[in-house]
Amino acid sequence: MSNEVRVRYAPSPTGHLHIGNARTALFNYLFARGHNGKFIIRIEDTDQKRNIEGGEESQLQYLKWLGIEWDESIDVGGEYGPYRQSERNDIYAKYTKQLMENEQAYYCYCTEEELEAEREAQIAEGKPPRYSNKCRHLTAEDRAALEAEGRKPSIRFKVPEGRVFKFDDMVKGEVAFESDGIGDFVIVKKDGIPTYNYAVAIDDHLMKMSHVLRGDDHISNTPKQLMIYDAFGWEVPKFGHMTLIVNESRRKLSKRDESIIQFIEQYKDLGYLPEALFNFITLLGWSPEGEEELFTKEQFIEIFDPSRLSKSPALFDMKKLKWMNNQYIKELSTDEVVDLALPHLVKAGKVKEEMSDQEKQWVYDIIALYKDQLSFGAEIIELTDLFFRTSIEYDEEAQEVLNEEQVPEVMKAFAQEINNLEDFESASIKSSIKAVQKATGHKGKKLFMPIRVATTGQTHGPELPQAIALLGKETVLARLEGAVK
Protein backbone atom coordinates (compact mmCIF):
# COMPACT_ATOMS: atom_id res chain seq x y z
CA MET A 1 0.00 0.00 0.00
CA SER A 2 1.38 3.43 -0.91
CA ASN A 3 1.70 6.28 1.58
CA GLU A 4 -0.96 8.27 -0.28
CA VAL A 5 -4.14 8.87 1.72
CA ARG A 6 -7.02 7.22 -0.11
CA VAL A 7 -10.46 7.13 1.52
CA ARG A 8 -13.96 6.35 0.33
CA TYR A 9 -17.64 6.94 0.91
CA ALA A 10 -19.54 3.86 -0.23
CA PRO A 11 -23.31 4.38 -0.25
CA SER A 12 -25.92 1.82 -1.19
CA PRO A 13 -28.53 3.23 -3.60
CA THR A 14 -31.30 2.18 -1.23
CA GLY A 15 -32.52 5.68 -0.37
CA HIS A 16 -31.77 9.38 -0.29
CA LEU A 17 -28.74 11.00 1.36
CA HIS A 18 -29.20 10.74 5.12
CA ILE A 19 -27.58 13.15 7.57
CA GLY A 20 -25.49 10.32 9.06
CA ASN A 21 -24.24 9.18 5.66
CA ALA A 22 -23.52 12.77 4.69
CA ARG A 23 -21.33 13.07 7.80
CA THR A 24 -19.38 9.95 6.81
CA ALA A 25 -18.80 11.37 3.34
CA LEU A 26 -17.86 14.76 4.74
CA PHE A 27 -15.30 13.46 7.26
CA ASN A 28 -13.65 11.31 4.58
CA TYR A 29 -13.61 14.25 2.18
CA LEU A 30 -12.00 16.59 4.74
CA PHE A 31 -9.44 13.95 5.74
CA ALA A 32 -8.45 13.35 2.10
CA ARG A 33 -8.25 17.04 1.21
CA GLY A 34 -6.28 17.86 4.36
CA HIS A 35 -3.66 15.25 3.44
CA ASN A 36 -3.56 15.98 -0.31
CA GLY A 37 -5.08 12.53 -0.79
CA LYS A 38 -7.89 11.08 -2.87
CA PHE A 39 -11.58 10.86 -2.01
CA ILE A 40 -13.45 8.06 -3.79
CA ILE A 41 -17.14 7.31 -4.06
CA ARG A 42 -17.99 3.66 -4.63
CA ILE A 43 -21.56 2.47 -5.13
CA GLU A 44 -22.31 -0.67 -3.13
CA ASP A 45 -25.36 -2.02 -4.92
CA THR A 46 -25.05 -5.77 -4.30
CA ASP A 47 -28.37 -5.86 -2.40
CA GLN A 48 -30.45 -5.50 -5.55
CA LYS A 49 -33.80 -5.99 -3.78
CA ARG A 50 -33.33 -2.86 -1.63
CA ASN A 51 -32.01 -0.55 -4.36
CA ILE A 52 -34.41 2.19 -5.39
CA GLU A 53 -34.70 3.97 -8.70
CA GLY A 54 -32.85 7.29 -8.58
CA GLY A 55 -31.09 6.41 -5.32
CA GLU A 56 -27.64 6.55 -6.89
CA GLU A 57 -28.24 9.90 -8.62
CA SER A 58 -29.76 11.36 -5.45
CA GLN A 59 -26.68 10.48 -3.39
CA LEU A 60 -24.32 12.19 -5.83
CA GLN A 61 -26.59 15.19 -6.42
CA TYR A 62 -26.89 16.13 -2.77
CA LEU A 63 -23.24 15.49 -1.97
CA LYS A 64 -22.43 18.02 -4.71
CA TRP A 65 -25.02 20.42 -3.30
CA LEU A 66 -23.27 20.23 0.09
CA GLY A 67 -20.01 21.22 -1.58
CA ILE A 68 -18.30 17.82 -1.60
CA GLU A 69 -16.25 16.86 -4.67
CA TRP A 70 -14.59 13.52 -5.40
CA ASP A 71 -11.63 12.27 -7.37
CA GLU A 72 -12.86 8.86 -8.57
CA SER A 73 -16.34 7.40 -9.01
CA ILE A 74 -18.91 6.14 -11.49
CA ASP A 75 -19.24 9.61 -13.05
CA VAL A 76 -15.60 10.72 -13.24
CA GLY A 77 -13.88 7.36 -13.70
CA GLY A 78 -10.45 6.46 -12.31
CA GLU A 79 -7.82 3.75 -12.60
CA TYR A 80 -9.37 1.43 -9.98
CA GLY A 81 -12.83 0.99 -11.48
CA PRO A 82 -15.46 -0.16 -12.02
CA TYR A 83 -16.81 1.91 -9.09
CA ARG A 84 -20.14 0.11 -8.98
CA GLN A 85 -20.02 -3.24 -7.15
CA SER A 86 -22.56 -4.88 -9.45
CA GLU A 87 -20.01 -4.44 -12.27
CA ARG A 88 -17.20 -6.17 -10.35
CA ASN A 89 -18.53 -9.74 -10.13
CA ASP A 90 -15.72 -11.16 -12.30
CA ILE A 91 -13.19 -9.66 -9.89
CA TYR A 92 -14.85 -11.20 -6.84
CA ALA A 93 -15.17 -14.59 -8.59
CA LYS A 94 -11.40 -14.71 -9.10
CA TYR A 95 -10.75 -14.32 -5.38
CA THR A 96 -13.52 -16.75 -4.44
CA LYS A 97 -11.87 -19.38 -6.66
CA GLN A 98 -8.60 -18.80 -4.83
CA LEU A 99 -10.22 -19.25 -1.41
CA MET A 100 -11.98 -22.44 -2.53
CA GLU A 101 -8.75 -23.90 -3.95
CA ASN A 102 -6.93 -23.08 -0.69
CA GLU A 103 -9.76 -24.69 1.33
CA GLN A 104 -10.43 -21.38 3.08
CA ALA A 105 -14.03 -21.42 1.89
CA TYR A 106 -16.64 -24.09 1.16
CA TYR A 107 -20.10 -24.71 -0.28
CA CYS A 108 -23.02 -24.50 2.15
CA TYR A 109 -26.35 -26.13 1.22
CA CYS A 110 -28.37 -25.13 4.29
CA THR A 111 -31.79 -23.65 3.58
CA GLU A 112 -33.11 -20.49 5.25
CA GLU A 113 -35.56 -22.64 7.21
CA GLU A 114 -32.75 -24.86 8.53
CA LEU A 115 -30.62 -21.89 9.49
CA GLU A 116 -33.54 -20.23 11.28
CA ALA A 117 -34.30 -23.44 13.21
CA GLU A 118 -30.63 -23.65 14.22
CA ARG A 119 -30.67 -20.03 15.43
CA GLU A 120 -33.85 -20.55 17.45
CA ALA A 121 -32.47 -23.69 19.10
CA GLN A 122 -29.27 -21.89 20.11
CA ILE A 123 -31.22 -18.96 21.58
CA ALA A 124 -33.46 -21.40 23.49
CA GLU A 125 -30.32 -22.95 25.00
CA GLY A 126 -29.04 -19.49 26.00
CA LYS A 127 -26.23 -19.57 23.44
CA PRO A 128 -25.33 -16.69 21.10
CA PRO A 129 -26.66 -17.55 17.62
CA ARG A 130 -23.95 -18.44 15.08
CA TYR A 131 -23.62 -20.87 12.22
CA SER A 132 -22.70 -24.37 13.41
CA ASN A 133 -20.30 -24.91 10.48
CA LYS A 134 -22.08 -28.19 9.69
CA CYS A 135 -21.41 -27.96 5.93
CA ARG A 136 -17.68 -27.40 6.50
CA HIS A 137 -16.82 -31.10 6.31
CA LEU A 138 -19.16 -32.31 3.54
CA THR A 139 -17.68 -34.92 1.24
CA ALA A 140 -17.99 -34.83 -2.54
CA GLU A 141 -20.71 -37.48 -2.22
CA ASP A 142 -22.60 -35.37 0.36
CA ARG A 143 -22.51 -32.36 -1.95
CA ALA A 144 -23.68 -34.39 -4.94
CA ALA A 145 -26.62 -35.75 -2.95
CA LEU A 146 -27.67 -32.29 -1.79
CA GLU A 147 -27.40 -30.90 -5.31
CA ALA A 148 -29.50 -33.78 -6.56
CA GLU A 149 -32.23 -32.49 -4.22
CA GLY A 150 -32.10 -29.24 -6.21
CA ARG A 151 -30.31 -27.26 -3.51
CA LYS A 152 -28.20 -24.31 -4.62
CA PRO A 153 -25.16 -23.62 -2.45
CA SER A 154 -23.89 -20.40 -0.99
CA ILE A 155 -20.17 -20.10 -0.21
CA ARG A 156 -18.98 -19.65 3.36
CA PHE A 157 -15.63 -18.41 4.60
CA LYS A 158 -13.87 -20.81 6.95
CA VAL A 159 -13.25 -18.75 10.10
CA PRO A 160 -9.85 -19.68 11.63
CA GLU A 161 -10.14 -21.18 15.11
CA GLY A 162 -8.56 -19.83 18.28
CA ARG A 163 -7.50 -16.52 16.78
CA VAL A 164 -7.84 -12.98 18.12
CA PHE A 165 -8.28 -10.27 15.50
CA LYS A 166 -7.18 -6.84 16.72
CA PHE A 167 -7.04 -3.40 15.19
CA ASP A 168 -6.12 0.04 16.47
CA ASP A 169 -9.20 2.17 15.84
CA MET A 170 -8.62 5.88 15.17
CA VAL A 171 -11.49 6.75 17.53
CA LYS A 172 -11.81 3.87 19.99
CA GLY A 173 -8.23 2.69 20.40
CA GLU A 174 -7.49 -1.03 20.41
CA VAL A 175 -10.44 -3.27 19.58
CA ALA A 176 -10.24 -7.08 19.66
CA PHE A 177 -12.53 -9.92 18.56
CA GLU A 178 -12.14 -13.65 19.23
CA SER A 179 -12.67 -15.72 16.11
CA ASP A 180 -14.37 -18.50 18.08
CA GLY A 181 -17.32 -16.20 18.67
CA ILE A 182 -17.94 -15.84 14.95
CA GLY A 183 -19.37 -18.68 12.87
CA ASP A 184 -18.33 -19.35 9.29
CA PHE A 185 -20.01 -16.57 7.32
CA VAL A 186 -21.42 -16.39 3.82
CA ILE A 187 -19.22 -14.58 1.30
CA VAL A 188 -21.19 -15.47 -1.85
CA LYS A 189 -24.97 -15.83 -1.81
CA LYS A 190 -26.90 -18.58 -3.60
CA ASP A 191 -27.49 -16.23 -6.55
CA GLY A 192 -23.73 -15.74 -7.01
CA ILE A 193 -23.71 -12.18 -5.62
CA PRO A 194 -20.99 -11.49 -3.03
CA THR A 195 -22.00 -10.36 0.45
CA TYR A 196 -21.23 -6.92 1.82
CA ASN A 197 -18.25 -7.82 4.05
CA TYR A 198 -16.57 -9.86 1.35
CA ALA A 199 -16.96 -7.36 -1.50
CA VAL A 200 -15.97 -4.43 0.71
CA ALA A 201 -12.72 -6.04 1.83
CA ILE A 202 -11.73 -6.91 -1.75
CA ASP A 203 -12.68 -3.47 -3.08
CA ASP A 204 -10.90 -1.58 -0.30
CA HIS A 205 -7.72 -3.55 -1.00
CA LEU A 206 -7.82 -3.28 -4.79
CA MET A 207 -8.71 0.42 -4.65
CA LYS A 208 -5.77 0.93 -2.26
CA MET A 209 -7.74 2.44 0.61
CA SER A 210 -5.34 3.67 3.27
CA HIS A 211 -8.03 4.53 5.82
CA VAL A 212 -11.63 3.47 6.38
CA LEU A 213 -13.63 6.10 8.28
CA ARG A 214 -17.21 5.03 8.89
CA GLY A 215 -20.04 4.89 11.42
CA ASP A 216 -19.94 3.01 14.70
CA ASP A 217 -22.61 0.59 13.45
CA HIS A 218 -19.97 -0.96 11.15
CA ILE A 219 -17.60 -2.02 13.93
CA SER A 220 -19.12 -5.52 14.11
CA ASN A 221 -18.32 -5.95 10.39
CA THR A 222 -14.62 -5.24 10.91
CA PRO A 223 -13.47 -8.67 12.20
CA LYS A 224 -14.97 -10.43 9.18
CA GLN A 225 -13.22 -7.98 6.87
CA LEU A 226 -9.94 -8.46 8.78
CA MET A 227 -10.29 -12.22 8.22
CA ILE A 228 -10.60 -11.67 4.46
CA TYR A 229 -7.47 -9.47 4.51
CA ASP A 230 -5.67 -12.12 6.54
CA ALA A 231 -6.70 -14.94 4.21
CA PHE A 232 -5.14 -13.17 1.23
CA GLY A 233 -2.12 -11.82 3.13
CA TRP A 234 -3.11 -8.21 2.44
CA GLU A 235 -2.10 -5.11 4.37
CA VAL A 236 -4.97 -3.82 6.52
CA PRO A 237 -6.13 -0.19 6.19
CA LYS A 238 -6.40 2.04 9.25
CA PHE A 239 -9.96 1.89 10.62
CA GLY A 240 -11.87 4.66 12.40
CA HIS A 241 -15.42 4.22 13.65
CA MET A 242 -17.31 7.44 14.37
CA THR A 243 -19.81 7.50 17.21
CA LEU A 244 -23.52 7.49 16.46
CA ILE A 245 -25.68 10.58 16.12
CA VAL A 246 -28.42 10.78 18.75
CA ASN A 247 -31.57 12.87 19.10
CA GLU A 248 -32.42 15.13 22.04
CA SER A 249 -33.68 12.08 23.96
CA ARG A 250 -30.19 10.58 23.54
CA ARG A 251 -31.55 7.82 21.32
CA LYS A 252 -29.83 6.71 18.14
CA LEU A 253 -30.99 8.75 15.16
CA SER A 254 -33.42 6.45 13.41
CA LYS A 255 -34.79 7.04 9.93
CA ARG A 256 -38.23 6.46 11.46
CA ASP A 257 -37.71 9.26 14.01
CA GLU A 258 -40.03 12.00 12.76
CA SER A 259 -38.91 14.54 15.39
CA ILE A 260 -35.86 15.35 13.27
CA ILE A 261 -35.63 16.08 9.56
CA GLN A 262 -33.04 13.56 8.42
CA PHE A 263 -32.42 13.83 4.69
CA ILE A 264 -30.24 16.43 2.97
CA GLU A 265 -32.84 16.84 0.22
CA GLN A 266 -35.39 17.98 2.82
CA TYR A 267 -33.05 20.65 4.17
CA LYS A 268 -32.43 21.95 0.67
CA ASP A 269 -36.19 22.07 0.02
CA LEU A 270 -36.75 23.98 3.28
CA GLY A 271 -34.27 26.65 2.28
CA TYR A 272 -31.22 25.77 4.35
CA LEU A 273 -27.87 26.88 2.95
CA PRO A 274 -25.38 24.16 1.95
CA GLU A 275 -22.50 26.01 3.62
CA ALA A 276 -24.38 26.09 6.93
CA LEU A 277 -25.29 22.40 6.72
CA PHE A 278 -21.67 21.54 5.84
CA ASN A 279 -20.55 23.48 8.93
CA PHE A 280 -23.19 21.93 11.21
CA ILE A 281 -22.60 18.32 10.10
CA THR A 282 -18.83 18.63 10.52
CA LEU A 283 -19.36 19.49 14.19
CA LEU A 284 -21.49 16.35 14.76
CA GLY A 285 -18.95 14.21 16.58
CA TRP A 286 -15.87 16.30 15.81
CA SER A 287 -14.65 19.46 17.51
CA PRO A 288 -11.99 22.00 16.61
CA GLU A 289 -9.67 23.61 19.11
CA GLY A 290 -11.07 26.75 20.75
CA GLU A 291 -14.63 28.02 20.98
CA GLU A 292 -15.25 29.11 17.38
CA GLU A 293 -18.09 27.26 15.62
CA LEU A 294 -18.38 28.94 12.22
CA PHE A 295 -15.87 27.86 9.57
CA THR A 296 -15.58 27.84 5.81
CA LYS A 297 -14.97 24.60 3.93
CA GLU A 298 -11.37 25.69 3.30
CA GLN A 299 -10.81 26.31 7.01
CA PHE A 300 -12.24 22.89 7.87
CA ILE A 301 -9.88 21.23 5.38
CA GLU A 302 -6.96 22.96 7.05
CA ILE A 303 -7.91 22.14 10.67
CA PHE A 304 -9.65 18.74 10.40
CA ASP A 305 -7.82 16.26 12.62
CA PRO A 306 -9.36 12.80 13.13
CA SER A 307 -7.75 12.59 16.58
CA ARG A 308 -10.40 15.10 17.66
CA LEU A 309 -13.28 12.79 16.70
CA SER A 310 -15.49 12.39 19.75
CA LYS A 311 -15.74 9.15 21.69
CA SER A 312 -19.25 10.15 22.85
CA PRO A 313 -22.43 10.13 20.73
CA ALA A 314 -23.05 13.29 18.72
CA LEU A 315 -26.17 15.24 19.71
CA PHE A 316 -28.28 16.48 16.83
CA ASP A 317 -29.35 19.93 18.07
CA MET A 318 -32.00 21.40 15.75
CA LYS A 319 -31.90 24.79 17.53
CA LYS A 320 -28.18 25.01 16.90
CA LEU A 321 -28.67 24.21 13.20
CA LYS A 322 -31.27 26.98 12.90
CA TRP A 323 -28.97 29.42 14.68
CA MET A 324 -26.07 28.47 12.44
CA ASN A 325 -28.11 28.78 9.25
CA ASN A 326 -29.33 32.18 10.45
CA GLN A 327 -25.70 33.31 10.83
CA TYR A 328 -25.03 32.36 7.21
CA ILE A 329 -28.24 34.02 5.98
CA LYS A 330 -27.20 37.28 7.68
CA GLU A 331 -24.06 37.27 5.51
CA LEU A 332 -26.11 37.13 2.27
CA SER A 333 -27.14 40.18 0.30
CA THR A 334 -30.83 41.14 0.46
CA ASP A 335 -31.22 40.00 -3.15
CA GLU A 336 -29.87 36.55 -2.21
CA VAL A 337 -32.23 36.32 0.79
CA VAL A 338 -35.18 37.20 -1.44
CA ASP A 339 -34.10 34.49 -3.92
CA LEU A 340 -33.97 32.02 -1.01
CA ALA A 341 -37.32 32.95 0.59
CA LEU A 342 -39.61 34.08 -2.25
CA PRO A 343 -40.19 30.59 -3.79
CA HIS A 344 -41.63 29.47 -0.44
CA LEU A 345 -44.18 32.31 -0.40
CA VAL A 346 -45.13 31.44 -3.98
CA LYS A 347 -45.45 27.73 -3.15
CA ALA A 348 -47.62 28.55 -0.10
CA GLY A 349 -49.93 30.62 -2.30
CA LYS A 350 -49.16 33.85 -0.44
CA VAL A 351 -47.98 35.66 -3.57
CA LYS A 352 -48.35 35.07 -7.30
CA GLU A 353 -45.53 33.73 -9.42
CA GLU A 354 -46.10 36.56 -11.92
CA MET A 355 -46.21 39.96 -10.19
CA SER A 356 -46.19 43.60 -11.22
CA ASP A 357 -43.11 45.68 -10.40
CA GLN A 358 -45.01 47.29 -7.54
CA GLU A 359 -46.02 43.90 -6.09
CA LYS A 360 -42.46 42.61 -6.45
CA GLN A 361 -41.11 45.60 -4.56
CA TRP A 362 -43.66 45.11 -1.77
CA VAL A 363 -42.72 41.44 -1.32
CA TYR A 364 -39.01 42.30 -1.60
CA ASP A 365 -39.35 44.86 1.21
CA ILE A 366 -41.29 42.42 3.41
CA ILE A 367 -38.64 39.71 3.04
CA ALA A 368 -35.86 42.26 3.65
CA LEU A 369 -37.58 43.16 6.93
CA TYR A 370 -36.90 39.62 8.23
CA LYS A 371 -33.40 39.07 6.85
CA ASP A 372 -31.75 39.06 10.29
CA GLN A 373 -34.47 36.86 11.84
CA LEU A 374 -34.74 34.23 9.12
CA SER A 375 -33.44 30.78 10.13
CA PHE A 376 -34.29 29.02 6.84
CA GLY A 377 -36.10 29.92 3.64
CA ALA A 378 -39.48 28.30 4.37
CA GLU A 379 -39.68 30.07 7.73
CA ILE A 380 -40.60 33.24 5.82
CA ILE A 381 -44.17 31.90 5.51
CA GLU A 382 -44.72 31.98 9.26
CA LEU A 383 -42.72 35.16 9.85
CA THR A 384 -44.63 37.21 7.29
CA ASP A 385 -48.10 35.83 8.03
CA LEU A 386 -49.24 39.16 9.49
CA PHE A 387 -49.01 40.76 6.02
CA PHE A 388 -51.29 38.21 4.39
CA ARG A 389 -53.96 37.77 7.06
CA THR A 390 -57.36 39.37 6.60
CA SER A 391 -58.11 39.32 10.33
CA ILE A 392 -56.15 39.01 13.56
CA GLU A 393 -56.81 36.69 16.46
CA TYR A 394 -55.08 38.03 19.55
CA ASP A 395 -53.43 35.53 21.89
CA GLU A 396 -53.54 35.90 25.67
CA GLU A 397 -50.36 37.99 25.86
CA ALA A 398 -51.56 40.35 23.11
CA GLN A 399 -55.00 40.68 24.69
CA GLU A 400 -53.43 41.71 28.00
CA VAL A 401 -51.67 44.56 26.21
CA LEU A 402 -54.89 45.72 24.56
CA ASN A 403 -56.74 45.64 27.89
CA GLU A 404 -54.49 48.32 29.40
CA GLU A 405 -56.38 51.51 30.28
CA GLN A 406 -54.40 53.88 28.03
CA VAL A 407 -55.01 51.83 24.87
CA PRO A 408 -58.26 53.48 23.60
CA GLU A 409 -56.63 56.91 23.87
CA VAL A 410 -53.46 55.77 22.07
CA MET A 411 -55.45 53.97 19.34
CA LYS A 412 -57.66 56.98 18.69
CA ALA A 413 -54.74 59.41 18.51
CA PHE A 414 -52.68 57.10 16.30
CA ALA A 415 -55.61 56.40 13.94
CA GLN A 416 -56.10 60.16 13.58
CA GLU A 417 -52.44 60.70 12.78
CA ILE A 418 -52.42 57.83 10.26
CA ASN A 419 -55.62 59.03 8.61
CA ASN A 420 -54.07 62.44 7.97
CA LEU A 421 -50.91 61.03 6.37
CA GLU A 422 -50.54 61.58 2.65
CA ASP A 423 -47.09 59.99 2.54
CA PHE A 424 -47.53 56.51 4.07
CA GLU A 425 -43.82 55.75 4.51
CA SER A 426 -41.88 54.47 7.53
CA ALA A 427 -40.29 57.88 8.26
CA SER A 428 -43.65 59.68 8.41
CA ILE A 429 -45.19 56.82 10.44
CA LYS A 430 -42.32 57.14 12.91
CA SER A 431 -43.12 60.85 13.20
CA SER A 432 -46.79 60.02 13.76
CA ILE A 433 -45.91 57.76 16.70
CA LYS A 434 -43.86 60.60 18.22
CA ALA A 435 -46.83 62.94 17.72
CA VAL A 436 -49.06 60.48 19.63
CA GLN A 437 -46.53 60.42 22.45
CA LYS A 438 -46.60 64.22 22.62
CA ALA A 439 -50.41 64.40 22.45
CA THR A 440 -51.17 61.66 25.01
CA GLY A 441 -48.12 61.73 27.27
CA HIS A 442 -47.76 57.95 26.94
CA LYS A 443 -44.32 56.65 25.98
CA GLY A 444 -42.13 53.52 25.88
CA LYS A 445 -43.96 50.19 26.13
CA LYS A 446 -47.23 51.96 27.02
CA LEU A 447 -47.11 53.60 23.60
CA PHE A 448 -45.30 51.23 21.26
CA MET A 449 -46.67 47.88 22.49
CA PRO A 450 -50.39 48.64 21.93
CA ILE A 451 -49.62 50.00 18.45
CA ARG A 452 -47.54 46.92 17.60
CA VAL A 453 -50.17 44.49 18.91
CA ALA A 454 -53.09 46.30 17.25
CA THR A 455 -51.44 46.53 13.84
CA THR A 456 -49.46 43.27 13.68
CA GLY A 457 -51.13 41.03 16.26
CA GLN A 458 -47.69 40.34 17.75
CA THR A 459 -45.85 41.44 20.89
CA HIS A 460 -42.49 41.02 19.11
CA GLY A 461 -41.60 41.61 15.51
CA PRO A 462 -39.69 43.62 12.92
CA GLU A 463 -39.04 47.38 12.86
CA LEU A 464 -42.52 48.77 13.62
CA PRO A 465 -42.76 51.82 11.30
CA GLN A 466 -41.53 49.71 8.36
CA ALA A 467 -44.02 46.93 9.14
CA ILE A 468 -46.89 49.42 9.36
CA ALA A 469 -45.88 51.02 6.07
CA LEU A 470 -45.89 47.63 4.33
CA LEU A 471 -49.28 46.68 5.80
CA GLY A 472 -50.81 49.69 4.05
CA LYS A 473 -52.98 52.50 5.33
CA GLU A 474 -56.35 50.83 4.81
CA THR A 475 -55.33 47.62 6.62
CA VAL A 476 -53.76 49.52 9.52
CA LEU A 477 -56.83 51.71 10.08
CA ALA A 478 -59.11 48.67 10.01
CA ARG A 479 -56.91 46.86 12.54
CA LEU A 480 -56.76 49.87 14.86
CA GLU A 481 -60.53 50.08 14.83
CA GLY A 482 -60.87 46.34 15.43
CA ALA A 483 -58.41 46.44 18.33
CA VAL A 484 -60.42 49.14 20.16
CA LYS A 485 -63.63 47.14 19.69
Side-chain angles (χ1 to χ4, degrees), residues 26 59 76 98 121-122 127 150 167 196 220 277 285-286 296 314 324 375 386 398 402 411 455 457 461 482:
L26 208 157
Q59 289 277 336
V76 294
Q98 183 179 328
Q122 288 169 337
K127 296 176 182 177
F167 63 97
Y196 170 79
S220 59
L277 216 51
W286 179 84
T296 63
M324 191 171 281
S375 297
L386 70 99
L402 295 178
M411 294 296 101
T455 55

Side-chain angles (χ1 to χ4, degrees), residues 141-295:
E141 291 77 13
D142 293 333
R143 290 198 299 273
L146 289 165
E147 284 173 15
E149 292 178 21
R151 296 196 185 205
K152 284 189 176 180
S154 59
I155 298 175
R156 286 186 184 269
F157 179 77
K158 195 181 286 185
V159 172
E161 296 174 0
R163 292 274 304 276
V164 176
F165 285 86
K166 296 180 184 176
F167 63 97
D168 184 21
D169 193 274
M170 295 165 73
V171 180
K172 298 176 177 299
E174 187 175 282
V175 181
F177 292 89
E178 293 184 2
S179 65
D180 291 347
I182 302 168
D184 293 350
F185 56 92
V186 174
I187 56 173
V188 181
K189 292 176 276 190
K190 295 180 192 294
D191 59 5
I193 303 295
T195 58
Y196 170 79
N197 284 309
Y198 184 51
V200 162
I202 292 172
D203 290 342
D204 283 346
H205 170 73
L206 295 180
M207 294 181 182
K208 301 188 185 299
M209 295 302 152
S210 62
H211 299 74
V212 175
L213 274 171
R214 56 190 180 187
D216 198 47
D217 49 339
H218 280 284
I219 201 157
S220 59
N221 291 322
T222 311
K224 293 179 181 178
Q225 292 166 22
L226 291 176
M227 290 175 194
I228 301 299
Y229 273 88
D230 182 67
F232 291 114
W234 292 339
E235 186 180 347
V236 177
K238 183 81 171 168
F239 288 98
H241 291 88
M242 299 167 285
T243 55
L244 299 173
I245 302 172
V246 295
N247 63 20
E248 291 179 3
S249 302
R250 302 281 169 181
R251 291 187 179 141
K252 177 187 171 184
L253 207 62
S254 159
K255 290 178 183 178
R256 292 182 294 277
D257 181 357
E258 295 182 0
S259 66
I260 291 175
I261 301 162
Q262 300 200 33
F263 296 96
I264 302 302
E265 180 179 355
Q266 292 171 296
Y267 285 102
K268 179 179 182 290
D269 291 346
L270 283 169
Y272 280 82
L273 298 174
E275 300 84 359
L277 216 51
F278 189 107
N279 194 150
F280 176 76
I281 294 171
T282 305
L283 299 180
L284 283 174
W286 179 84
S287 59
E289 293 182 17
E291 300 298 317
E292 183 60 46
E293 292 189 298
L294 300 175
F295 298 92

Side-chain angles (χ1 to χ4, degrees), residues 28-85:
N28 278 282
Y29 167 76
L30 292 174
F31 184 64
R33 291 290 176 266
H35 289 82
N36 295 312
K38 294 288 194 298
F39 175 55
I40 294 94
I41 292 185
R42 182 175 71 225
I43 303 296
E44 298 186 344
D45 60 345
T46 54
D47 194 348
Q48 298 288 329
K49 292 175 185 172
R50 292 182 60 226
N51 296 343
I52 66 164
E53 189 176 349
E56 194 176 280
E57 294 81 359
S58 176
Q59 289 277 336
L60 300 183
Q61 177 186 345
Y62 289 100
L63 286 172
K64 284 178 183 173
W65 178 78
L66 275 174
I68 297 174
E69 314 99 24
W70 44 91
D71 303 292
E72 301 170 27
S73 190
I74 55 172
D75 57 339
V76 294
E79 59 181 304
Y80 299 99
Y83 293 93
R84 192 180 280 113
Q85 281 188 337

Side-chain angles (χ1 to χ4, degrees), residues 322 326 329 337 341 344-345 348 350 366-389 452 456-458 460-463 467 470-471 479:
K322 287 180 180 178
N326 171 256
I329 287 175
V337 175
H344 297 283
L345 289 175
K350 301 292 185 182
I366 287 174
I367 294 172
L369 203 56
Y370 291 94
K371 181 188 169 190
D372 288 345
Q373 278 182 259
L374 195 64
S375 297
F376 56 96
E379 192 181 34
I380 199 68
I381 299 166
E382 182 184 343
L383 290 175
T384 60
D385 183 53
L386 70 99
F387 294 98
F388 302 100
R389 266 192 259 161
R452 178 179 290 283
T456 69
Q458 301 171 345
H460 308 280
E463 185 69 30
L470 288 165
L471 280 166
R479 289 186 180 182

Side-chain angles (χ1 to χ4, degrees), residues 438-457:
K438 190 174 180 181
T440 64
H442 299 299
K443 58 185 179 179
K445 283 183 76 174
K446 293 287 184 183
L447 172 68
F448 286 97
M449 193 59 86
I451 293 175
R452 178 179 290 283
V453 169
T455 55
T456 69

